[in-house]
Amino acid sequence: MKIAVIGQSLFGQEVYKELRMDGHIIVGVFTIPDKEGKADPLAKEAEKNGVPVFKFPRWRVKGQAIPEVVDLYKSIGAELNVLPYCSQFIPMEVIDNPKYGSIIYHPSLLPRHRGASAINWTLINGDKKGGFTVFWADDGLDTGPILLQKECVIQPNDTVNTLYNRFLFPMGVKGMVEAVRLIAKGEALRIQQPQEGATYEGIQKKDNAKINWNQSAETLHNWIRGHDKVPGAWADINGQKITFYASTLLDNGSSPRGQLLEIPGSCRPGIVTKEGLVLFGNDGKALLVRSLQFEDGKMIPAGQYFCLGSNAAVELTEDEKKFAEEIRAVWKSILTNVSQIEDLTDFFKSGAASMDVVRLVEEVKLRTSSFQLQNEDIYMNTTFQNFIQMCVRKLRGENDDQDLIVDYVEKDINNMIVKIPHQLFINGEFIDAEGGKTYTSMNPTDGTALCDVSLAQKSDVDKAVAAAKEAFEDGEWGKMNPRDRGRLIYKLADLMEEHQEELATIETIDSGAVYTLALKTHVGMSIQTFRYFAGWCDKIQGSTIPINQARPNRNLTFTKKEPIGVCAIIIPWNYPLMMLAWKTAACLAAGNTVVLKPAQVTPLTALKFAELSARAGIPKGVVNILPGSGAVVGQHLSDHPDVRKLGFTGSTEIGKHIMKSCAVSNVKKVSLELGGKSPLIIFSDCDIDKAVRMGISSVFFNKGENCIAAGRIFVEDSIHDQFVKRVVEEVEKMKIGDPLDRSTDHGPQNHKTHLEKLLEYCQIANMEGATLVYGGKQVQRPGFFFEPTVFTDVQDHMYIAKEESFGPIMIISKFRRMWMMS
Ligand code: NAD
């Protein structure tokens, strides 16, 4: 068949090529004039093949066909006009001229969406089905008889682009070719278009693509995707015309975490999250937009809205702008391979290495003496824009701490004001638990309420793990030079030292630890632990391992030590801060991120630690603290698929349970530090003074709440009575009382249930026939005080010989030496 192709674009080109491949003769191609000297793809292809190409700017003037144009058209002698995407108005003289008439491609299921922008309207209307029609041309109103139609299901997040590329283009080309084939075979249909369901819509332009926010989320979503990518739906936000792309409907109703963005005309502000901008319809449902475009054409991931010259960023003064330009030149001189330093240029992605970090710090130092830059400041502000914002904030003397909002419980105690955070610490912020759930933390010294603490729920665990995962995978922590990570941990240790009296006071009122011991051990050793591990950061190395040279030989075996990811830490109540330090410090030094659950009864030093970690500049999400119950928070951490390792310190019973959960969930790595019942054996030839001293400290240290306590003491029979007498004399001298009093030896037990357990423990011992030598009772004063206690005549089969008391109870057994060393 002799065919005239009247159309344009890649679609026209493909139809043209396919028709030629199908054996038809293209006698002429009619397309649009060249734009900026560039021919349309259809024209280009036809010119290549030597097919006559006509580029009329128009076919009609004032509604009348231009005679010369019509004559030129007639001269090619086409038997059929094929119109793939024809944007011009073709006169009826031309349409009706060929023997077989004219067929047109239209990207909707006619009679729906007659007129322009049919794909846009299909999506804007939320049609569930779309497709295209090949119809016999009419006078331009898309009402001609239908030759064939093909339909497809519209996906919920289809955009104009995806629908076109997935179906309307490839299947449309095939449809046109099939239509021509049918005509050639004399089998083409002519089905009159029904009137029912007919719509006619106008062309969608940028001007009428403004978003009306007072609609349901689904309508908003359809509007945005129905304009995506052309012409783009937009709104005025913060005085800027912002165009929205890549919308998806969100199905859950929960409010995501992020920074609020006022959307004029919307019933709720939007939320800028890592994934994008969450917007709300007037039905309360939400959609997520992933890309935004500014008027100057710059496109950004919507999640970065606030990083980019929005109202959250500081407006620079003239002097600061000058400073910024100087620094831009410094960046340029360092990043030699980058042609231009844009606001979004990323220091490290542009090839900077740790040497360049030092250079940048020094270059900035040369230009200003008013603030000190640390290497980590660069790791935390890697784009030029963020870097300048950080420098300007420092220039103005703004304190980073201002970002951290802490709702303190303040106590005037121990000659100081202690400021205690009491909310969950997730992603660098103190926040309430889901549903505002709280519980009361008690002061064991007088049994009074200390403060209400947020009680983490399962969803809070999910949030914290997600924050830790993000901080590990995308945050600066991982990118940071290990030495700089070490510096941050040192800084944290310094801050803990600065706050050591406050930390020790909080530890005392929360756990009952004697203040001087808390200062030296609970807090002092925690600081030392962080210092020690800070030094390890840049000394973590693997090794090459000799192996046998089996075939294939020249094998190389080596270990490379890498951080594992999100680590969960679950700790007990006896040394709340120290247990945290032992596990957290090592974890952080290796580059992991942490979600820690303190014991429910002693959460306060962990929360103070969280505050100090933020002040030290540990990036958000790296440390997360969740006060809560073992059964909910601890269990969910053990089960969580995104937790890669769990470190647990606590009882053997719970340890077994946790190990099982870790295995069943995702075979996460687990390390357990559990209960004990270590013996201390005292022979008759010992230094008795020393033996008494050691015996007492190994049982009564930290009121017996000690995992390495001497759980049993075996004393050789010949010195047994003397030992017991001496111990009792010493115990009698112990000063029991207020742990904040510097002369107190023995403070209250950690919490009420523990005290009750100790009383029960002694009852069992009495029943089983152990001899109570001293104590065994609650001290008659407010609070949870238990007398230091001594039992003797303990036999191996007895309960107290086997079970850990975890309290101030000395359990003595007499032994006789049965053999002598030769
Ligand atoms: P515990 O086992 O009852 O509690 C420890 C932690 O585990 C708490 O945070 C608790 O909330 C949590 N937990 C409870 N049930 C859980 C579950 N199903 N899933 C996950 N987490 C859960 O122990 P405790 O009474 O707090 O502490 C005393 C025990 O800790 C003693 O046995 C003591 O010897 C031991 N301990 C050992 C060491 C050590 O280094 N080996 C140090 C201190 C204490």
Side-chain angles (χ1 to χ4, degrees), residues 569-575 579 582-583 597-602 628-638 646 648-655 657-658 661 672-677 705-709 751 754 757 804 806:
I569 298 178
I570 302 176
I571 51 172
W573 41 258
N574 57 334
Y575 289 94
M579 294 296 104
W582 285 4
K583 291 197 154 44
K597 188 197 90 64
Q600 191 169 340
V601 287
T602 53
S629 79
V632 175
V633 179
Q635 187 63 50
H636 197 40
L637 283 170
S638 316
L646 190 140
F648 171 80
T649 306
S651 62
T652 307
E653 184 199 349
I654 302 292
H657 179 80
I658 283 185
S661 302
L672 306 172
E673 291 191 61
L674 308 177
K677 189 78 177 160
E705 293 167 359
N706 227 339
C707 61
I708 52 166
H751 53 280
H754 182 51
K757 271 201 182 147
E804 186 185 18
F806 215 52

Side-chain angles (χ1 to χ4, degrees), residues 54 78 158 224 231 329 338 367 435 708 754:
F54 304 89
D158 260 335
I224 294 170
V338 179
R367 283 161 181 81
I708 52 166
H754 182 51

